[in-house]
Amino acid sequence: MKPQLADVIWWHVYPLGATGAPIRDRAGDDSGHRLGQIEAWLDYLIELGCNGLLLGPIFESVTHGYDTLDHYRIDARLGDDADFDSLIAACHERGIQVMLDGVFNHVARTHPWVAEGLAGDTDWEGHADLATLHHEDPRIIDAVVDIMCHWLRRGIQGWRLDVAYSVPPEFWRTVLARVREEFPDVLILGEVIHGDYAAITEAGTLDAVTQYELWKGLWSSIADTNFWELDHAIGRHAEIAARTLPNTFIGNHDVDRIASKVGQDGEIIALALLMSLPGMPSLYYGDEQGFEARRGEGFAADDPVRPPLPATPAELSELGSWVLAEHKKLIGVRRRNQWLTHAEVEVLDKQNATISLRSRGADGEEIQTDAWLEPTYGVRIRAGEEVLYEWQA
């Protein structure tokens, strides 16, 4: 993995939702060419301070993208190979790294692999429309290696491995060893929700892991005015970061919007803390505008947190402009202090409504972050006597 890939700040987009593609009723909508809409947001991504585009599923699927039908074909609702090539070229022109979402634990039950006996003995986590792959089958190993290399040859720099924790680690070890023979610098991010994050990452030879424990500690401690919880989460985070690269976040395509959890003021506190901690941050599209939404129930449960974007950033509401401005400042602090990716962190003091933490780099760099929830929300980041960022509601 290229060292600079660990320092990327990703803008995480769910393409089917962001481009307004129909999720379940696809009748008459198989030539959308919507992938090109994302090109209109690349300069916005750069202005935000990010330098990576983390795309949710873009391969042909039945509904939401995680029920894949063909890993080699761009979903017809999004476009075709030409649309993909155009997007990749536009990203490379701007120095934007691209990561794709690889769903290699399961496929749609109507995927040809099921009929070929390569999947289908068991449903994945009770979802009858999803068939778990037979990861011990050499044909599946060969197929996943070929798929990953195919899109790396097409210009991407990394893979997010969906539900990586459900796949046997020996499968990842075998597949990734072969992929790295051709692409030694590829970045592999594993989605892990529960369990021993570092151990799962090490066993599968992944480069990075989604840090859900920290996400939970950040929003919950603010919502409950209980920074003791965050203190515990940061202690765990420090242990994980000492062994592997955590992907840190305050929102993604599977959870309630952070602003709906803690309000827009609370979101700024959460982001300031996130940007002060070791790891590889990602920001979920719309969070930087203070978007609010909660997951629902049933088949459409995720739709509210995966909304369409307007055609261009110029069409965004002015209501989110102040949230965007604070995001730019905090991301700027992070980009000017890239040593934070691999920093050591310790909590200096905490009470229910206040917390102070110190992050240190290998060459003696140091910042201190103080956050408080009473009498009003506020945060300050400083290096010695120099104030790098300060905000109060």
Side-chain angles (χ1 to χ4, degrees), residues 339-367:
W339 56 269
L340 283 164
T341 301
H342 300 290
E344 295 181 351
V345 61
E346 62 175 325
V347 174
L348 303 174
D349 184 55
K350 77 277 185 184
Q351 301 295 327
N352 287 348
T354 63
I355 192 167
S356 296
L357 58 93
R358 178 169 57 204
S359 299
R360 285 177 169 167
D363 296 325
E365 309 95 333
E366 185 175 303
I367 66 167

Side-chain angles (χ1 to χ4, degrees), residues 299-342:
F299 292 113
D302 294 312
D303 289 4
V305 299
R306 303 174 180 182
L309 287 169
T312 68
E315 298 175 44
L316 287 164
S317 167
E318 285 296 316
L319 294 175
S321 60
W322 79 269
V323 182
L324 177 64
E326 299 307 320
H327 274 68
K328 288 181 177 180
K329 294 174 189 175
L330 284 166
I331 295 171
V333 170
R334 180 67 177 221
R335 287 181 65 86
R336 291 190 295 273
N337 294 275
Q338 290 191 337
W339 56 269
L340 283 164
T341 301
H342 300 290

Side-chain angles (χ1 to χ4, degrees), residues 230-272:
L230 182 57
D231 171 51
H232 176 76
I234 289 175
R236 290 272 298 161
H237 181 66
E239 295 174 2
I240 294 167
R243 295 171 60 186
T244 190
L245 176 65
N247 165 221
T248 59
F249 57 92
I250 54 175
N252 66 27
H253 62 300
D254 285 329
V255 301
D256 295 339
R257 289 279 180 177
I258 182 70
S260 294
K261 290 284 195 181
V262 298
Q264 292 179 345
D265 290 343
E267 177 180 346
I268 304 304
I269 301 292
L271 183 68

Side-chain angles (χ1 to χ4, degrees), residues 66-388:
Y66 290 97
D67 45 2
T68 315
L69 286 170
D70 187 341
H71 292 87
Y72 292 98
R73 186 154 58 98
I74 300 298
D75 195 298
R77 292 167 291 178
L78 295 174
D80 54 26
D81 278 357
D83 297 305
F84 176 81
D85 291 341
S86 177
L87 177 60
I88 293 297
C91 286
H92 289 179
E93 288 171 5
R94 294 165 173 80
I96 297 171
Q97 311 292 320
V98 181
M99 184 185 297
L100 294 186
D101 203 338
V103 188
F104 302 125
N105 173 69
H106 52 267
V107 292
R109 189 153 291 284
T110 50
H111 192 292
W113 286 349
V114 177
E116 295 168 17
L118 301 178
D121 289 349
T122 57
D123 301 336
W124 180 67
E125 292 191 354
H127 297 281
D129 54 342
L130 299 178
T132 304
L133 294 177
H134 295 162
H135 294 99
E136 73 286 353
D137 193 312
R139 294 173 294 173
I140 288 296
I141 293 172
D142 291 345
V144 173
V145 169
D146 191 67
I147 291 163
M148 294 181 75
C149 288
H150 171 81
W151 294 102
L152 286 162
R153 295 180 191 118
R154 298 282 298 276
I156 70 168
Q157 285 71 47
W159 281 99
R160 173 193 179 273
L161 302 179
D162 187 57
V163 295
Y165 59 90
S166 287
V167 177
E170 55 270 21
F171 176 83
W172 294 132
R173 287 198 303 271
T174 302
V175 166
L176 296 180
R178 291 172 56 183
V179 171
R180 288 177 176 130
E181 289 177 1
E182 182 175 351
F183 298 97
D185 296 325
V186 64
L187 175 64
I188 304 296
L189 166 63
E191 183 196 21
V192 179
I193 298 176
H194 42 65
D196 187 333
Y197 292 179
I200 293 171
T201 305
E202 291 166 348
T205 67
L206 314 179
D207 296 312
V209 62
T210 53
Q211 227 300 33
Y212 271 90
E213 286 188 19
L214 181 64
W215 162 78
K216 169 61 166 61
L218 282 166
W219 72 258
S220 185
S221 61
I222 297 170
D224 296 339
T225 314
N226 180 20
F227 276 131
W228 293 82
E229 178 182 356
L230 182 57
D231 171 51
H232 176 76
I234 289 175
R236 290 272 298 161
H237 181 66
E239 295 174 2
I240 294 167
R243 295 171 60 186
T244 190
L245 176 65
N247 165 221
T248 59
F249 57 92
I250 54 175
N252 66 27
H253 62 300
D254 285 329
V255 301
D256 295 339
R257 289 279 180 177
I258 182 70
S260 294
K261 290 284 195 181
V262 298
Q264 292 179 345
D265 290 343
E267 177 180 346
I268 304 304
I269 301 292
L271 183 68
L273 291 165
L274 184 86
M275 290 297 163
S276 303
L277 294 168
M280 179 180 66
S282 61
L283 293 108
Y284 186 53
Y285 80 103
D287 279 353
E288 76 282 350
Q289 293 284 338
F291 280 14
E292 298 183 12
R294 291 184 182 270
R295 296 181 71 250
E297 301 290 339
F299 292 113
D302 294 312
D303 289 4
V305 299
R306 303 174 180 182
L309 287 169
T312 68
E315 298 175 44
L316 287 164
S317 167
E318 285 296 316
L319 294 175
S321 60
W322 79 269
V323 182
L324 177 64
E326 299 307 320
H327 274 68
K328 288 181 177 180
K329 294 174 189 175
L330 284 166
I331 295 171
V333 170
R334 180 67 177 221
R335 287 181 65 86
R336 291 190 295 273
N337 294 275
Q338 290 191 337
W339 56 269
L340 283 164
T341 301
H342 300 290
E344 295 181 351
V345 61
E346 62 175 325
V347 174
L348 303 174
D349 184 55
K350 77 277 185 184
Q351 301 295 327
N352 287 348
T354 63
I355 192 167
S356 296
L357 58 93
R358 178 169 57 204
S359 299
R360 285 177 169 167
D363 296 325
E365 309 95 333
E366 185 175 303
I367 66 167
Q368 180 171 323
T369 301
D370 304 305
W372 56 92
L373 306 178
E374 296 175 354
T376 59
Y377 286 7
V379 64
R380 181 184 302 111
I381 304 174
R382 55 189 173 87
E385 297 301 315
E386 180 187 4
V387 176
L388 306 180

